[in-house]
Amino acid sequence: MLTTHPFDDDKLREECGVFAIYGTPDAAAHTALGLHALQHRGQEAAGIVAFDGTQFNAHRALGHVGETFAQPDVIGRLNGHAAIGHTRYATTGDTLLRNVQPLFADLAIGGFAIAHNGNLTNNQALRRRLVERGSLFQSTTDTEVVVHLIATALATAVVDRLIDALRQINGAYSFVGLMDDGIVGVRDPNGVRPLVLGRLGDAYVMASETCALDILGADFIRDVEPGEMVIVTRDGLTSRHPFPKASRRFCIFEHIYFARPDSIVEGTSVYDARKRIGAELAREAGVDADVIIPVPDSGVPAALGYANEAGIPFELGIIRNHYVGRTFIEPTDQIRHLGVKLKHNANRAHIEGKRVVLVDDSIVRGTTSTKIVEMVRAAGATEVHMRIASPPTTHSCFYGVDTPRREKLLASQMDIEAMTKFIGADSLAFVTIDGMYRAMGKPEGRNSRDPGFCDACFTGDYPIPLIDFTDGTSDDRVSVLAE
Ligand code: 5GP
Ligand code: MG
């Protein structure tokens, strides 16, 4: 039984970027640059906490990283040799400053700051229990639950308290934390969300994606492993594995859409993965056409892969205005429609009189596809075929990607034929699940021995129990419950 729909309450669900650095005099400035490279993971707010040996210095603000942290007086106040930062994405719930991360707590054993990418799936159950015991919550983010669990844990070392807290939570997470003696980074046991480790001179860096290492000229060391906790202090780096081993379930949507194409995640180039998906799509659902046109920017690598495989010219037939935020982020349907019009324009010379294949990474609500198809027809295309470089998004994500509630997902409501009509295309095809897996280096498709990914948004197979979204007493999966 579904008691509360996750998207009805005012809790925040977010895909975010996290960053941490230890061992450099301007840790906050490095963090600001790292967050700038992670801006695509969250444009709503950003924050940095630095530690200077005596004091924790924090600044959080709504808006883009550059707007806040490019100001010399802001960065100048964030002294310290260690820092963590967060860039936040949230499409629902309040955009209050008190929800902006990193969160900071003055614990009996010292200060601790924490930043989170992901979503906890037993947040409400834990929060209820903590409130009954007297915890006073300051924010509505699920991350604060972890802070309270740490505050009330018995161990003396912060990292032991963090482990104790993490053993009580379910969900997808990459956390970075800042203590008075170092930094810590940890991935959930299934490794749903990304976190990488790098080195810059004597300093250690952790970040959601490798593009945040590149911006600093830091060397990539390796991915933090699923379920691994990495601690960096003046004595160097230590690694712990505090959880029972679980199956690897990296979020496949990071490859499809979320990560930046110049990032290498879990050993795979995001750009190359997208190109290979596009090639699979051309093999599976090719169609006679004169030109392949990406829906920019997210559709570009897949469209290149498609065009190469199909041997059809690739053209930028739609030009994107880069000064508009991602349409998805706008809160109301009305603004979302407006956003799409503000964002894209047809490059008529490459469309008029042509049979066009449009390639995009995904269809969520169908808003983008509908507008783009209309625009391309208005620019004189004789045929418009839509090709999507992911399988139909039929299920909500509860692990940190902010997909809307199920009824709003076009593919949960309609079959391919109805969707084709809805978006106004001459034909519509999605890459198959197996095609997507083949592109990810799994030749046997999804049923290979170790699929390695969370693909719940396409299959409804949720690898982590969704406690908050059941009656709170069972571990039943929401894939059944949300039907
Ligand atoms: P739709 O317009 O169908 O609702 O959404 C599809 C478009 O949104 C695609 O062009 C895709 O690139 C983008 N998109 C897909 N998932 C997400 C997401 O989680 N966040 C944001 N900002 N955009 C997304
Ligand atoms: Mg897009």
Side-chain angles (χ1 to χ4, degrees):
M1 192 188 60
L2 196 64
T3 49
T4 49
H5 190 282
F7 300 101
D8 278 339
D9 62 24
D10 84 323
K11 195 173 73 61
L12 300 162
R13 285 144 300 275
E14 55 235 32
E15 177 66 285
C16 302
V18 295
F19 184 92
I21 186 164
Y22 179 91
T24 178
D26 345 290
H30 287 79
T31 303
L33 285 166
L35 293 181
H36 177 64
L38 298 173
Q39 186 76 80
H40 62 288
R41 299 182 70 85
Q43 293 99 46
E44 197 191 63
I48 296 177
V49 179
F51 183 67
D52 62 12
T54 319
Q55 183 166 306
F56 287 84
N57 306 296
H59 190 84
R60 301 176 196 83
L62 301 178
H64 288 191
V65 178
E67 284 159 19
T68 304
F69 293 102
Q71 295 168 25
D73 59 318
V74 172
I75 273 295
R77 272 189 279 110
L78 299 176
N79 292 326
H81 61 280
I84 65 169
H86 187 263
T87 175
R88 174 166 172 270
Y89 172 109
T91 62
T92 53
D94 29 45
T95 52
L96 296 175
L97 203 49
R98 67 194 165 96
N99 282 329
V100 179
Q101 301 192 27
L103 300 182
F104 176 76
D106 220 346
L107 306 171
I109 52 167
F112 183 65
I114 188 166
H116 173 205
N117 167 211
N119 192 45
L120 307 185
T121 53
N122 64 341
N123 159 63
Q124 287 167 28
L126 286 171
R127 184 183 269 253
R128 258 195 309 276
R129 209 179 74 204
L130 285 159
V131 168
E132 276 160 19
R133 289 194 198 155
S135 285
L136 301 170
F137 278 80
Q138 305 285 311
S139 77
T140 53
T141 71
D142 52 1
T143 313
E144 199 184 344
V145 163
V146 181
V147 174
H148 286 280
L149 290 173
I150 293 170
T152 52
L154 295 174
T156 45
V158 177
V159 289
D160 292 325
R161 289 188 179 210
L162 177 59
I163 289 169
D164 188 64
L166 296 180
R167 284 185 177 143
Q168 297 174 66
I169 66 176
N170 289 114
Y173 53 81
S174 283
F175 284 110
V176 293
L178 175 69
M179 304 81 80
D180 54 18
D181 64 344
I183 56 170
V184 58
V186 58
R187 282 178 80 190
D188 70 74
N190 298 101
V192 176
R193 306 260 64 96
L195 190 66
V196 298
L197 184 64
R199 188 101 212 224
L200 180 65
D202 292 333
Y204 279 101
V205 183
M206 289 184 244
S208 295
E209 293 181 38
T210 55
C211 61
L213 304 180
D214 295 341
I215 194 173
L216 296 171
D219 294 323
F220 169 73
I221 302 177
R222 62 178 176 86
D223 288 277
V224 175
E225 290 163 26
E228 183 187 17
M229 175 179 276
V230 173
I231 303 147
V232 180
T233 65
R234 59 191 303 175
D235 302 323
L237 183 141
T238 49
S239 160
R240 293 172 70 169
H241 289 85
F243 313 111
K245 208 167 163 47
S247 61
R248 180 180 286 261
R249 295 294 210 116
F250 183 69
C251 169
I252 207 157
F253 205 68
E254 290 275 353
H255 278 296
I256 303 277
Y257 172 79
F258 229 95
R260 232 169 73 162
D262 52 339
S263 285
I264 312 286
V265 295
E266 300 251 305
T268 303
S269 150
V270 173
Y271 179 78
D272 290 342
R274 288 180 190 167
K275 277 183 78 176
R276 286 196 301 268
I277 297 175
E280 284 287 343
L281 193 50
R283 284 192 287 273
E284 289 184 345
V287 56
D288 281 341
D290 303 309
V291 64
I292 310 299
I293 293 177
V295 180
D297 291 327
S298 53
V300 172
L304 270 173
Y306 187 113
N308 287 346
E309 179 66 23
I312 299 173
F314 168 97
E315 295 292 352
L316 297 178
I318 299 163
I319 302 301
R320 173 170 165 193
N321 182 330
H322 283 269
Y323 305 96
V324 187
R326 289 180 173 190
T327 54
F328 205 88
I329 282 168
E330 306 298 342
T332 67
D333 278 341
Q334 218 184 346
I335 295 178
R336 198 172 290 116
H337 281 274
L338 184 65
V340 172
K341 276 194 242 152
L342 289 171
K343 194 168 151 182
H344 294 117
N345 191 30
N347 184 3
R348 184 176 267 273
H350 285 278
I351 293 176
E352 201 160 13
K354 300 207 165 141
R355 295 169 301 165
V356 172
V357 173
L358 290 170
V359 181
D360 203 357
D361 66 287
S362 58
I363 289 182
V364 182
R365 294 180 179 82
T367 317
T368 307
S369 298
T370 307
K371 289 284 160 194
I372 297 282
V373 170
E374 190 187 313
M375 183 184 289
V376 168
R377 281 204 198 284
T382 55
E383 290 174 27
V384 183
H385 303 278
M386 179 62 87
R387 294 293 177 269
I388 303 296
S390 63
T393 302
T394 50
H395 289 73
S396 301
C397 178
F398 299 91
Y399 305 138
V401 174
D402 185 72
T403 44
R405 51 189 300 167
R406 224 180 145 196
E407 308 87 271
K408 297 237 168 146
L409 296 173
L410 194 67
S412 83
Q413 303 300 308
M414 296 182 190
D415 62 13
I416 304 277
E417 203 186 318
M419 281 194 271
T420 312
K421 271 213 191 89
F422 182 88
I423 67 168
D426 294 299
S427 78
L428 166 68
F430 295 78
V431 77
T432 61
I433 299 264
D434 282 336
M436 174 178 70
Y437 272 89
R438 280 194 297 274
M440 300 310 306
K442 306 279 177 189
E444 317 91 293
R446 185 173 195 261
N447 291 326
S448 58
R449 205 162 44 81
D450 169 26
F453 293 99
C454 173
D455 58 12
C457 51
F458 307 126
T459 61
D461 174 10
Y462 292 94
I464 303 169
L466 302 169
I467 311 287
D468 283 349
F469 315 119
T470 69
D471 60 8
T473 58
S474 79
D475 278 4
D476 288 351
R477 304 271 171 95
V478 90
S479 52
V480 182
L481 297 160
E483 294 301 316

